[in-house]
Amino acid sequence: MTDFNKLNDDLSVTAQLLPEDMPAVAAAGFKMVLNNRPDGEAADQPSSNEMAVAAEAAGLAYAHQPVVGTNIAETDIDGFDAIVSLADTPVLAFCRTGTRSTTLWALTQATEQDNGSIIATAELAGYDLSALADRLDQRRSQ
């Protein structure tokens, strides 16, 4: 089991979860698990279907929003924001390391917070998003 890295009261992020982690996720108080990894990204990762079955068995809602970390589109950002906004919270989002999920969160915050606050929150959660400043500025100016 990996650490749950809190970004705000509604959202935490973590590295790859396994089906057997779902009872601990539920016991930690999460209401939904959001998987940001495309199926088949790595040979050793469980499928989204396996994760959904395990999450539901543990009483958790489950969403799969596959995002390619090196090519995060505006639709990915908006989709992530919609899932988290509409979910019973708190939500635990995961990907391979947690960076992709944290990046998605950060980009949803571009119009709500300044870059320093976003990057500092990510850093406290263990993720270095300092290279994201230009993308945050672009998102803010849209």
Side-chain angles (χ1 to χ4, degrees):
M1 169 64 64
T2 60
D3 292 333
F4 305 138
N5 305 302
K6 187 174 181 174
L7 296 173
N8 59 38
D9 289 342
D10 294 335
L11 180 66
S12 293
V13 295
T14 192
Q16 176 69 56
L17 294 170
L18 299 173
E20 56 268 25
D21 296 329
M22 292 303 124
V25 170
F30 292 100
K31 305 289 185 208
M32 173 185 259
V33 172
L34 171 53
N35 177 356
N36 291 127
R37 284 190 92 178
D39 275 345
E41 189 175 69
D44 62 344
Q45 86 185 68
S47 71
S48 178
N49 187 58
E50 291 173 279
M51 296 301 294
V53 168
E56 289 164 16
L60 295 161
Y62 178 84
H64 184 217
Q65 184 208 14
V67 174
V68 176
T70 56
N71 190 27
I72 296 176
E74 293 299 311
T75 54
D76 296 328
I77 301 161
D78 294 340
F80 182 90
D81 194 33
I83 291 167
V84 174
S85 296
L86 296 172
D88 284 339
T89 57
V91 173
L92 179 62
F94 77 91
C95 55
R96 187 178 67 81
T97 65
T99 301
R100 182 178 344 180
S101 297
T102 304
T103 299
L104 286 161
W105 164 81
L107 291 164
T108 69
Q109 298 302 300
T111 59
E112 309 295 321
Q113 301 182 49
D114 62 78
N115 289 4
S117 296
I118 294 168
I119 292 167
T121 298
E123 188 173 315
L124 286 172
Y127 301 97
D128 178 5
L129 297 188
S130 56
L132 195 64
D134 288 346
R135 180 82 189 265
L136 290 167
D137 289 340
Q138 289 170 358
R139 175 101 173 144
R140 189 174 292 111
S141 68
Q142 291 178 349

